[in-house]
Amino acid sequence: MTTFKELGMRTALATRLEQLGIEEATAVQEQSIPHVLEGKDVIAQAQTGTGKTLAFILPMLEKINHNEPSIQGLILTPTRELALQITGELSKLSQAVPDIQVLAVYGGQDVEAQLKKLKRSIHIVVATPGRLLDHLRRGTIDLTGISTLVLDEADQMLHMGFLPEVEDILNQTNPHRQTLLFSATMNSDVRSLAKKYTKKPENIQIKAKNITVEKINQLVVETTDRRKQAALRALLKEYQPFLAIIFCRTKRRANTLNEALQSYGFLSEELHGDLSQAKRERVMKNFREAKLQYLVATDVAARGLDVEGVTHVFNYDIPHDVESYIHRIGRTGRAGEDGLAVTLVAPKDQDHLTMIEKGIHMTIRKEQSDAVADDPKPAERKKKAQKPENGSQRRHSRGKGTDNQNRMQAGKPAKKRTRRREK
């Protein structure tokens, strides 16, 4: 067990971490923090849930000079939610370093409000690439004095197409800065970026075995596309999660599924890129406070989210690559707690399932879903039951029970059919 004080943290920071229930450093923190404190560049590969955030914000807080009224630290993230989460972690530690000012800069905020805050002394900026570039073009943010730059979730940043923006930002920073790159995966694009912008970096790699295999129970439920929604509802009723994230492939599917769940009385909300920033913040606040039980989300919106108490993850749509699967199920089983990840698999999904099992080097336990195909929503069932049969339905009926057959069975002559002559 390595304490944060042993890693070089000041007593006030170590004490504050203990107050937050964090006493022992994780592997990525233990291996990264000493190098960061020495001023070295670092490239760290570690899955979500391993404590990467503290691995870079703790040494950054140690090194900031609060007497210098300029931006000294910059943290780039791919999503607004992750920017807010990192800012929240910095705020929790602010009691130990009260003179350090932090500002989150992301799209969806009032630009004028951000400009007003930037007139004050800011030491650390946590930003998404698009909004930060907007400020750089306006001349409202100066990055020439930063001493430490962090690229968090670098693989997702590049996957979302931010490479041109990231390079534009990097070219406007102090060339003598310290660069820290943290990523869950190290594909060729990430390695190329790291090689181009880091100098003699320390390479750290934390294996994901403890996250994907030992900490999270995994289950595949075999169903069909038609029965998928009914299967999900049956699973939610069976497992009764405290908090659960349900992943969908697209924004439209997340919206459709969320509306369906709400119609059946589930406490759910959707989270995706089409929501306003105010709505996204409100949804996440309610989810963190357990006012919502189910978060129906897309991969981009939920990337990097760390919500305490998530007991279950449901892959309503199976991910199409191993990395996305690992990121999704990493939302549960955090901080040493057990978690359950359930993936719904239709016959057409078998190739993706095989790829995932090969990628994580294990065969996932499988069950057959007994759920029947979706019936109408409660409101629709009630409306349908109250709706009387109309003449149109009778006229289009087939087989037994037609109007003339009923008359003949009752001993009455059939109605004569007449043809209206054209005038």
Side-chain angles (χ1 to χ4, degrees), residues 161-354:
F162 283 131
L163 179 58
E165 288 88 345
V166 170
E167 290 193 319
D168 196 354
I169 291 166
L170 290 173
N171 290 331
Q172 297 187 53
T173 62
N174 176 8
H176 303 295
R177 68 181 183 273
Q178 176 186 36
T179 303
L180 313 176
L181 188 148
F182 286 78
S183 185
T185 60
M186 284 289 170
N187 57 35
S188 58
D189 291 335
V190 176
R191 292 186 184 281
S192 177
L193 181 71
K195 184 178 180 180
K196 186 175 181 180
Y197 290 103
T198 59
K199 302 169 185 175
K200 299 181 180 178
E202 294 290 338
N203 286 278
I204 296 166
Q205 186 172 9
I206 307 300
K207 293 183 179 180
K209 181 180 177 181
N210 290 339
I211 302 173
T212 59
V213 179
E214 296 178 3
K215 298 296 182 182
I216 300 173
N217 297 314
Q218 299 169 70
L219 172 67
V220 163
V221 173
E222 297 176 329
T223 182
T224 64
D225 283 332
R226 188 181 177 194
R227 296 177 177 178
K228 186 181 283 189
Q229 194 183 113
L232 175 65
R233 294 200 307 271
L235 289 166
L236 298 182
K237 291 176 182 178
E238 176 185 355
Y239 288 112
Q240 293 291 313
F242 176 67
L243 292 177
I245 300 178
I246 304 168
F247 284 99
C248 292
R249 186 173 61 254
T250 65
K251 293 176 281 189
R252 179 175 293 182
R253 287 177 66 80
N255 173 258
T256 300
L257 178 59
N258 177 56
E259 289 183 350
L261 291 177
Q262 288 180 344
S263 74
Y264 280 91
F266 291 95
L267 292 174
S268 68
E269 270 295 356
E270 60 197 84
L271 183 71
H272 52 73
D274 278 354
L275 301 182
S276 67
Q277 184 58 30
K279 177 68 180 294
R280 289 165 74 157
E281 291 180 18
R282 185 165 64 251
V283 168
M284 283 309 304
K285 182 176 184 295
N286 289 338
F287 189 57
R288 292 181 192 280
E289 295 175 356
K291 294 177 181 178
L292 295 174
Q293 193 172 5
Y294 306 106
L295 187 68
V296 185
T298 57
D299 285 301
V300 170
R303 180 63 181 254
L305 290 183
D306 185 4
V307 179
E308 186 178 349
V310 174
T311 54
H312 295 70
V313 164
F314 294 90
N315 291 313
Y316 186 72
D317 294 322
I318 191 170
H320 289 183
D321 58 82
V322 179
E323 289 79 11
S324 294
Y325 179 78
I326 292 172
H327 288 308
R328 286 184 181 187
I329 71 172
R331 301 303 101 215
T332 186
R334 301 172 78 84
E337 298 295 330
D338 292 331
L340 175 64
V342 181
T343 302
L344 298 175
V345 174
K348 65 180 178 61
D349 300 323
Q350 287 299 324
D351 288 345
H352 290 119
L353 176 60
T354 301

Side-chain angles (χ1 to χ4, degrees), residues 106-158:
Y106 51 86
Q109 283 182 312
D110 182 355
V111 176
E112 294 301 322
Q114 287 183 347
L115 293 175
K116 188 175 181 180
K117 291 178 181 178
L118 284 166
K119 291 179 180 178
R120 304 198 304 262
S121 177
I122 301 295
H123 300 102
I124 300 175
V125 169
V126 186
T128 53
R131 179 50 65 90
L132 180 59
L133 267 180
D134 184 33
H135 280 288
L136 289 172
R137 288 162 184 158
R138 289 167 175 259
T140 50
I141 285 183
D142 180 11
L143 299 179
T144 57
I146 70 166
S147 54
T148 303
L149 166 70
V150 179
L151 299 177
D152 190 26
E153 301 285 7
D155 55 348
Q156 187 66 8
M157 201 125 53
L158 301 189

Side-chain angles (χ1 to χ4, degrees), residues 31-133:
Q31 294 185 40
S32 300
I33 288 175
H35 294 308
V36 180
L37 288 174
E38 290 175 10
K40 297 179 180 179
D41 287 3
V42 170
I43 299 173
Q45 179 183 357
Q47 300 295 343
T48 55
T50 53
K52 294 197 299 292
T53 302
L54 287 182
F56 57 78
I57 68 172
L58 285 173
M60 183 178 283
L61 288 172
E62 279 288 343
K63 296 171 67 178
I64 293 292
N65 180 3
H66 64 85
N67 293 316
E68 180 64 35
S70 63
I71 299 172
Q72 299 167 51
L74 171 64
I75 303 171
L76 273 183
T77 73
T79 66
R80 299 176 251 188
E81 284 72 27
L82 189 52
L84 285 169
Q85 183 173 299
I86 293 172
T87 305
E89 292 297 312
L90 286 164
S91 297
K92 290 178 185 178
L93 298 169
S94 62
Q95 293 182 17
V97 282
D99 295 324
I100 295 179
Q101 301 300 315
V102 180
L103 177 65
V105 174
Y106 51 86
Q109 283 182 312
D110 182 355
V111 176
E112 294 301 322
Q114 287 183 347
L115 293 175
K116 188 175 181 180
K117 291 178 181 178
L118 284 166
K119 291 179 180 178
R120 304 198 304 262
S121 177
I122 301 295
H123 300 102
I124 300 175
V125 169
V126 186
T128 53
R131 179 50 65 90
L132 180 59
L133 267 180

